[in-house]
Amino acid sequence: MHLAPTFEVPSMSRHPRTGDWYPAINKPAGVVHWLKHSKDAKNVDWVVILDADMIIRGPILPWELGAEKGRPVAAYYGYLIGCDNILAQLHTKHPELCDKVGGLLAFHIDDLRVFAPLWLSKTEEVREDRAHWATNITGDIYGKGWISEMYGYSFGAAEIGLRHKINDNLMIYPGYVPREGIEPILLHYGLPFSVGNWSFNKLAHHDEGIVYECNRLFPEPPYPRELKQLELDPNRRRGLFLSIECINIINEGLLLQHAANGCPKPAWSKYLSFLKSKSFAELTQPKYVTPATLQMMEDIKEEHVDDGAEKPHPKIHTVFSTECTPYFDWQTVGLMHSFRTSGQPGNITRLLSCSDEDLQKYKGRDLAPTHYVPSMSRHPLTGDWYPAINKPAAVLHWLNHANIDAEFIVILDADMILRGPITPWEFKAARGHPVSTPYDYLIGCDNELAKLHTSHPEACDKVGGVIIMHIDDLQKFALLWLHKTEEVRADRAHYARNITGDIYESGWISEMYGYSFGAAELKLKHTINNEILIYPGYVPAPGVKYRVFHYGLRFSVGNWSFDKADWRNVDMINRCWAKFPDPPDSSTLDLTNKEDLQRDLLSIECAKTLNEALNLHHKRKCSSDNSLLTSKEERTQESGVTREVGNTDGNVDSVSDHISTNHSEESASVRKDEMPSSFRFWVIFLWAFSGVGFLVVIFVVYSGHRRRGTRSKHGSRRRRSLHSVLMETNGRDRHSRGVDVPL
C-alpha cells in the first residue's frame, strides 16, 4: 500500500457473474469505481490514464498535448484490426468511429464520466464473444481474447461518438527507433527489448518479488559510452539510449524503494556508482514535448500533401521473383499489366531464376524487364528440391550484379495484381523500419522455432507478401534472408504444423521464416499494415482501398472458382487467345449481404484483370504466324487440357485457339502451309505409289520390246495408251499435292 498514493478497488480478476479469469478488466472497472467513490474525481478537470508498465520522462499536460473536451488525446495502437472488420460491426452501432488507440489517454473528466461505464460493459461483451477471438479478427497473436479491454475502450468510445486526437509520437516501446526530431515522453516496456547481448522481458519476472528483496536489481544494461561502439547511426543509437534509460530508471526506483523498506545500504559497485552519478542525472532530466512530438496523425497526413510539392519523393524500384515456366509466365503477364495501370512509381524488374539448359529454350524473355539468375531450385550443395529459395537467392544476386539507383525497394510475388501505388512515403517506410503485410500464421515466431534460429526471437515479425525496404537495409539483410532460409529448410525436426503453422508439414514456408528470422537478427522492426494486401475471397474491411490482390488461394463466386494451381501446366501465353474461365457478371450478384457483395466484387475484379492482361498480350503477339500452335501434337495437348479443366467451368472456350477474322487471308495461308501430319503422310504415300507404278510400266514396255524386236502399230498404240494412263496418273499426283485441305 505504501508504493504509491492508492485508491482501493474490489478485484474483478475473477468475474463475479461469469467466473471468467481476466485481470485486464480491472482497468475499466477501477476507473468506474474511482469515478464513483473517490473525492479526487470530484475536484479535477482532466484525467491522464496510463499503464503500470510505463516510464514517464516528462510532464504530461492534457491541454499542452492538444486534448479538448469531446476530443481526448491517445496513443496509436495500429494492431487493433477489429476496428476495421466484423468485430466492430458486432459490438458498436458506429463502427466507422472506432479509433485504434490505447496506452496514453488524456481525458476531460466530463467525457470520462459518460464513457467509463461503456468501457467496462463493452470489455465484458467482447470478452464473452469467444467466436471472434481469432488472430485474423482481433490481431491478438494468442487468439485468447486478452486484448478485449482495448477493444472495450475503442468500441465504448465509438458508441458515444467520442473521436480521439491520435498521436504516434508521445509514447514509444523500448527497442523501437524514434523518428527523427521526436522526443517521446512515455516509455512503454510491454514488449521484450535488447541492447547488444543484454535483453529484458517483463514477463520473465512475472512472479518475482524484486521490490521486497533487498538490493536486488534487474541485470545491468550496457553503459552509455558502449552504445557509441554498438551503433553508428545516430537515430538508431538514440533508440538504444532510450532502452537503457528505461531499465536504469526502473533500477533506480528499486534502489529508492529498498531504502524506504529499511534495507541495508548496498555494497559499492560500478553500476550503483553510475546510477548515482551526475552524468546519469543529466541523462534522465525531465523531457519536454517538442512541436514535432505534438503532431497528430491527421496533421501529419495534411503536411505530407503540402511537402510533396517541395521535396521530391525517393526513387522506388519494384522487383518480383519467377522461374522460367509457363506457370510463372502468365502470372508475370498479369502483374506487369497491373503495374502499368496502377500508377506505381519507378521501374520494375523480374528476377528470373532459370538453369542454362532451360533458358536456351525459354520463350518468355520479352514478358518483362528481366534480371537473369542461376536457378537454386535444386540446392547446389544439399541437392534439396526447394524452388521457393529462389526468391532470396534472386534478390541477393540482383543486389550484387545490377546497378540500382533507387532508395526504396518494393518486393512482390508473381501471383499478385497491383490496384494502386505502393510507396514508402504513404506507408511510412524508413531506414531501419521496413513496411510489410501480416502473415499471422507464422506461429514459429512465438515458439521454439524462433529461439532456435535467431538470437533475437522477440524481434521476429510475422510478415511477408508485400515488402517495402530501404536499399541500405536490404543490402545488409539479403544474405541473412538466404542463409536463414537454408537453415530453417534443413531443420526437418521442426516441420510440424504446431511449430511452423505449415498445414502440409513439408517445410514449404521455410523461405518465409528465413525472412522473419533474418530481419530479427538485424532487429529490423516492421510497420505491419493490413490495408495493403487482400486475398480474393476474403471479406474486405469497410472503406479500405487495398493496393494488392494476392491470389495465392482458391477463391470462388457462386459456382465459379479460380485456383492458380489448376493452371500450373497450362501454357496461357504462347497459345493465342487463351484465357481463364470468365467470372460471373457483377449484375448477377446478390445485393442483400453487403460483405459478401464486396468480397465477390473484388474476386471478379481480380479474375477480369488477369484475363484483360492475357487479352492484351495476345493482341500484341498473335498477329505473327509463328505464334500459332497448329501441329497435331499441340492440338491434342490442348484438347487434353480442355478436358482436364472442364470441371472448373462448363464453358471451356478458355483454352481454345481463336484466329481473328481480321487476318483471314493470312490465316488461310497458314492453313495451307502447315498441313496436319496425317495428311502429309497420305500425300507422300500417293507420290511413292505413282513412282513405283511408273517403274513397273517402264519395265513392262521394255520387256515387250525385247520379245517382239520390232515396233508394230498395235504395240505403238498400246504404248500410247499406257503413256496416257501414266500422264493421267501423274496429273492426279500433281493435283493431289496442290489440294487445299482445311485444318
Side-chain angles (χ1 to χ4, degrees):
M1 294 294 292
H2 63 291
L3 298 180
T6 302
F7 182 78
E8 292 185 55
V9 179
S11 173
M12 275 190 65
S13 294
R14 177 76 64 190
H15 197 282
R17 177 174 54 83
T18 66
D20 177 41
W21 177 258
Y22 183 54
I25 201 172
N26 284 311
K27 185 175 181 179
V31 171
V32 169
H33 195 272
W34 177 79
L35 287 169
K36 286 183 178 180
H37 303 286
S38 171
K39 294 179 180 178
D40 292 335
K42 299 176 182 178
N43 299 312
V44 295
D45 294 321
W46 295 95
V47 179
V48 176
I49 302 175
L50 304 176
D51 289 334
D53 55 349
M54 289 181 173
I55 297 296
I56 303 174
R57 305 181 72 228
I60 303 173
L61 305 176
W63 50 93
E64 286 190 2
L65 301 185
E68 305 172 45
K69 187 174 181 180
R71 293 295 305 277
V73 167
Y76 181 56
Y77 272 10
Y79 56 83
L80 296 180
I81 60 175
C83 275
D84 301 323
N85 60 36
I86 190 174
L87 198 67
Q89 296 169 23
L90 287 171
H91 295 291
T92 174
K93 297 174 184 175
H94 304 289
E96 73 281 358
L97 302 182
C98 184
D99 290 330
K100 302 175 184 176
V101 293
L104 164 64
L105 307 169
F107 261 94
H108 192 278
I109 188 67
D110 293 344
D111 295 330
L112 188 59
R113 289 188 187 282
V114 175
F115 161 70
L118 276 168
W119 183 5
L120 176 58
S121 63
K122 288 295 179 181
T123 298
E124 294 173 307
E125 187 180 307
V126 176
R127 178 68 182 174
E128 292 174 12
D129 184 10
R130 294 175 178 268
H132 295 93
W133 278 8
T135 302
N136 66 322
I137 295 177
T138 63
D140 178 4
I141 60 173
Y142 304 107
K144 301 293 185 182
W146 195 251
I147 59 177
S148 300
E149 173 271 317
M150 300 179 191
Y151 280 115
Y153 179 93
S154 292
F155 296 159
E159 201 72 359
I160 60 172
L162 201 60
R163 299 312 305 268
H164 295 78
K165 292 185 176 182
I166 305 175
N167 189 301
D168 200 21
N169 300 324
L170 293 168
M171 184 185 81
I172 193 171
Y173 291 89
Y176 282 31
V177 178
R179 296 183 180 91
E180 194 170 346
I182 301 300
E183 190 67 81
I185 57 172
L186 269 181
L187 303 178
H188 189 183
Y189 56 92
L191 301 174
F193 60 99
S194 60
V195 178
N197 294 324
W198 175 91
S199 65
F200 178 80
N201 185 350
K202 72 170 188 177
L203 292 178
H205 306 279
H206 189 272
D207 297 319
E208 296 178 3
I210 193 168
V211 171
Y212 308 104
E213 297 179 22
C214 284
N215 301 323
R216 183 187 168 196
L217 305 178
F218 293 114
E220 64 184 70
Y223 291 92
R225 65 176 178 273
E226 298 173 17
L227 301 187
K228 297 177 181 179
Q229 301 172 350
L230 282 176
E231 181 56 61
L232 298 178
D233 181 85
N235 215 43
R236 293 174 68 87
R237 189 192 308 146
R238 197 159 67 95
L240 298 181
F241 271 99
L242 290 175
S243 295
I244 66 168
E245 177 185 330
C246 176
I247 195 66
N248 285 332
I249 289 177
I250 294 174
N251 277 338
E252 183 187 32
L254 287 172
L255 281 174
L256 294 173
Q257 187 59 49
H258 291 160
N261 292 347
C263 292
K265 187 176 180 180
W268 182 92
S269 70
K270 180 182 176 182
Y271 181 55
L272 288 181
S273 179
F274 167 71
L275 292 181
K276 296 178 181 180
S277 68
K278 182 179 179 181
S279 58
F280 176 70
E282 291 175 351
L283 287 172
T284 55
Q285 283 182 344
K287 304 299 188 295
Y288 297 92
V289 292
T290 63
T293 306
L294 291 175
Q295 283 184 312
M296 301 300 167
M297 292 181 68
E298 56 198 33
D299 298 332
I300 293 172
K301 289 180 181 177
E302 291 174 4
E303 286 189 6
H304 172 71
V305 175
D306 296 336
D307 291 344
E310 300 173 6
K311 186 179 178 181
H313 291 309
K315 287 186 177 180
I316 305 175
H317 199 113
T318 303
V319 297
F320 64 103
S321 174
T322 75
E323 299 163 39
C324 49
T325 64
Y327 181 56
F328 279 102
D329 283 355
W330 63 256
Q331 294 177 39
T332 297
V333 168
L335 179 54
M336 286 303 301
H337 168 63
S338 67
F339 176 84
R340 297 184 190 103
T341 60
S342 67
Q344 175 71 358
N347 297 320
I348 187 169
T349 297
R350 171 180 60 164
L351 308 179
L352 182 68
S353 300
C354 199
S355 67
D356 292 339
E357 181 183 355
D358 290 337
L359 189 58
Q360 289 178 0
K361 55 188 178 183
Y362 180 60
K363 299 178 182 179
R365 294 171 183 260
D366 62 341
L367 297 179
T370 301
H371 176 81
Y372 296 96
V373 182
S375 175
M376 271 190 68
S377 294
R378 179 76 64 190
H379 197 282
L381 297 179
T382 66
D384 177 41
W385 178 258
Y386 183 54
I389 202 173
N390 283 313
K391 185 176 181 180
V395 170
L396 181 63
H397 190 277
W398 178 67
L399 289 171
N400 290 335
H401 294 86
N403 294 321
I404 306 166
D405 65 347
E407 187 175 345
F408 283 91
I409 310 300
V410 177
I411 304 174
L412 305 176
D413 288 336
D415 58 344
M416 290 181 175
I417 294 293
L418 278 168
R419 305 178 70 231
I422 304 169
T423 60
W425 52 87
E426 180 179 359
F427 294 106
K428 299 183 180 179
R431 184 188 284 108
H433 279 282
V435 170
S436 191
T437 49
Y439 271 11
D440 293 326
Y441 55 83
L442 297 180
I443 59 174
C445 274
D446 300 324
N447 59 37
E448 62 196 84
L449 197 67
K451 295 176 182 177
L452 286 169
H453 294 291
T454 173
S455 53
H456 303 293
E458 74 283 353
C460 183
D461 289 331
K462 302 175 187 175
V463 293
V466 175
I467 299 160
I468 313 172
M469 188 175 288
H470 195 279
I471 185 67
D472 294 348
D473 295 328
L474 188 60
Q475 287 169 338
K476 297 175 187 176
F477 162 71
L479 184 61
L480 275 170
W481 184 5
L482 176 59
H483 285 172
K484 289 295 178 181
T485 298
E486 294 173 309
E487 187 181 304
V488 176
R489 178 68 179 173
D491 185 9
R492 296 178 178 272
H494 294 92
Y495 275 8
R497 181 176 182 178
N498 65 320
I499 296 176
T500 65
D502 179 4
I503 60 173
Y504 303 106
E505 299 187 331
S506 61
W508 195 252
I509 58 176
S510 300
E511 174 271 317
M512 302 178 190
Y513 279 115
Y515 179 92
S516 292
F517 295 160
E521 283 299 284
L522 295 178
K523 295 186 179 178
L524 287 175
K525 294 303 295 181
H526 293 78
T527 299
I528 305 174
N529 191 303
N530 61 351
E531 297 185 353
I532 297 176
L533 176 148
I534 189 171
Y535 289 88
Y538 280 31
V539 175
V544 176
K545 179 173 173 51
Y546 296 97
R547 306 302 172 86
V548 175
F549 285 135
H550 190 183
Y551 55 90
L553 304 173
R554 178 183 291 273
F555 60 98
S556 59
V557 179
N559 294 325
W560 174 93
S561 67
F562 179 84
D563 189 338
K564 69 171 187 175
D566 292 340
W567 303 86
R568 184 175 294 276
N569 300 313
V570 183
D571 189 350
M572 304 294 292
I573 300 306
N574 299 307
R575 308 159 52 77
C576 281
W577 313 112
K579 67 172 185 176
F580 299 113
D582 288 321
D585 191 277
S586 57
S587 63
T588 65
L589 298 179
D590 183 5
L591 305 180
T592 56
N593 188 314
K594 291 185 178 180
E595 284 191 350
D596 291 350
L597 176 63
Q598 293 302 315
R599 176 199 65 199
D600 292 346
L601 286 173
L602 291 179
S603 297
I604 290 170
E605 180 188 335
C606 180
K608 282 189 171 182
T609 304
L610 282 171
N611 275 340
E612 286 172 6
L614 288 171
N615 184 52
L616 290 173
H617 168 78
H618 293 315
K619 281 183 177 179
R620 289 192 298 268
K621 295 294 182 182
C622 289
S623 60
S624 169
D625 294 356
N626 295 331
S627 68
L628 300 177
L629 304 181
T630 54
S631 72
K632 178 180 179 181
E633 179 183 359
E634 287 167 329
R635 284 202 314 278
T636 302
Q637 290 175 352
E638 177 185 356
S639 177
V641 168
T642 304
R643 286 191 296 271
E644 179 182 341
V645 301
N647 57 3
T648 305
D649 186 84
N651 181 10
V652 204
D653 61 353
S654 58
V655 287
S656 63
D657 283 347
H658 173 70
I659 302 175
S660 172
T661 56
N662 294 334
H663 306 289
S664 58
E665 292 181 5
E666 185 178 48
S667 303
S669 173
V670 171
R671 289 196 295 268
K672 288 180 181 180
D673 294 339
E674 298 182 10
M675 293 179 292
S677 57
S678 58
F679 181 75
R680 289 196 189 99
F681 170 79
W682 287 109
V683 169
I684 293 170
F685 176 81
L686 183 58
W687 179 84
F689 180 80
S690 300
V692 172
F694 175 79
L695 293 175
V696 170
V697 170
I698 293 298
F699 176 80
V700 171
V701 170
Y702 183 73
S703 298
H705 175 72
R706 293 190 61 183
R707 284 198 305 270
R708 292 171 181 79
T710 60
R711 295 185 180 180
S712 63
K713 292 182 179 179
H714 176 72
S716 177
R717 284 195 301 270
R718 182 180 179 187
R719 283 192 297 275
R720 282 197 299 271
S721 176
L722 289 171
H723 181 68
S724 300
V725 171
L726 178 62
M727 293 297 291
E728 289 175 4
T729 304
N730 286 336
R732 285 195 299 270
D733 178 29
R734 286 193 296 271
H735 177 70
S736 297
R737 276 179 284 175
V739 168
D740 183 3
V741 179
L743 300 178

